[in-house]
Amino acid sequence: SFFTTEPMEQLADFLIARAPAGLEYVYFVSGGSEAVEAALKLARQYFTETGQPQRRHLIARRQSYHGNTLGALATG
């Protein structure tokens, strides 16, 4: 996020303290659609960075709803 507040920082610390080992970051978004979109982008970036750009397919349930952004709509 470009902007932060003290409560947001406290919540991030709270979540990280209770997360499984190895999870050290929190990324806040405004809703589920944006969260799905961010996850799609993160997965694509990961495989591009690790030298596996051919891994570009996603698995989603048929006729499912993942959100109202372009990436999330295309997934369902």
Side-chain angles (χ1 to χ4, degrees), residues 9 13 15 21 27 30 39 57 67 73:
E9 297 282 338
D13 292 339
L15 294 172
Y27 185 73
S30 64
H57 295 283
L73 285 168

Side-chain angles (χ1 to χ4, degrees), residues 43-57:
R44 179 68 180 139
Q45 186 67 34
Y46 172 80
F47 287 115
T48 300
E49 295 287 329
T50 59
Q52 304 175 66
Q54 72 280 7
R55 295 186 71 173
R56 55 186 168 78
H57 295 283

Side-chain angles (χ1 to χ4, degrees), residues 2-68:
F2 293 109
F3 304 101
T4 187
T5 63
E6 185 61 33
M8 187 178 191
E9 297 282 338
Q10 291 172 353
L11 178 58
D13 292 339
F14 177 84
L15 294 172
I16 291 168
R18 287 155 181 79
L23 297 179
E24 303 169 349
Y25 299 96
V26 174
Y27 185 73
F28 291 106
V29 294
S30 64
S33 296
E34 194 175 338
V36 170
E37 192 86 19
L40 295 172
K41 291 176 184 178
L42 180 65
R44 179 68 180 139
Q45 186 67 34
Y46 172 80
F47 287 115
T48 300
E49 295 287 329
T50 59
Q52 304 175 66
Q54 72 280 7
R55 295 186 71 173
R56 55 186 168 78
H57 295 283
L58 301 165
I59 298 173
R61 295 186 66 146
R62 185 176 180 166
Q63 297 178 332
S64 59
Y65 178 75
H66 292 90
N68 204 25

